[in-house]
Amino acid sequence: MGAPGEEKVHAEFCRYGTDPGRALWPNSVALDKQGNVYVSDDWLNRISSFDKDGNFLNAWGTKGSGPGQLAGPAGLAFDADDNLYVVDSLNHRIQVFTKDGKFLTTWGKLGTGPAEFNMPWGIHIDANDDVFVADWKNNRVQKLTRT
């Protein structure tokens, strides 16, 4: 690493726009085991993937509240099985997808109880596959485990 201000850009992902591979409001990034880059777009309600050089691979997601639909996707994280956890903020839940975008399951709903959320925003999965969710409007972080 050089001195501040000497950083080098190696790739660029998601230039402005609505076409596949573009973004209007990118807000989170996660990498799979192969180094592919996944970007959530809060405004377009989709997830886009790119190779490590910035070449577009895939996109999925439509606005809605059904399984696999998104409303304000925010944080992203991969588990040890390379499944992508997406914070579906405005639907008050976490959705789990394969890295190719196939819907697997949903965690949570609107509320204040255990595994309930009110505008979750950030997510992290540790080396033990424990899932930490920043639950914004409930003013807390919850630790969840896969079953």
Side-chain angles (χ1 to χ4, degrees), residues 116-137:
E116 295 178 343
F117 307 105
N118 189 351
M119 299 257 329
W121 201 258
I123 190 167
H124 177 79
I125 301 176
D126 70 11
N128 297 318
D129 261 357
D130 291 323
V131 180
F132 296 80
V133 179
D135 189 8
W136 179 30
K137 293 222 173 167

Side-chain angles (χ1 to χ4, degrees), residues 29-39 47-52 57-58 60 76-85 97-101:
V29 176
L31 279 69
D32 67 15
K33 290 180 179 179
Q34 291 72 40
N36 295 316
V37 178
Y38 293 73
V39 179
I47 308 301
S48 297
S49 62
F50 302 84
D51 68 17
K52 64 183 176 182
L57 298 174
N58 190 18
W60 72 88
L76 302 173
F78 278 96
D79 67 13
D81 296 328
D82 235 7
N83 294 314
L84 181 63
Y85 288 59
F97 297 87
T98 66
K99 64 182 188 170
D100 297 322

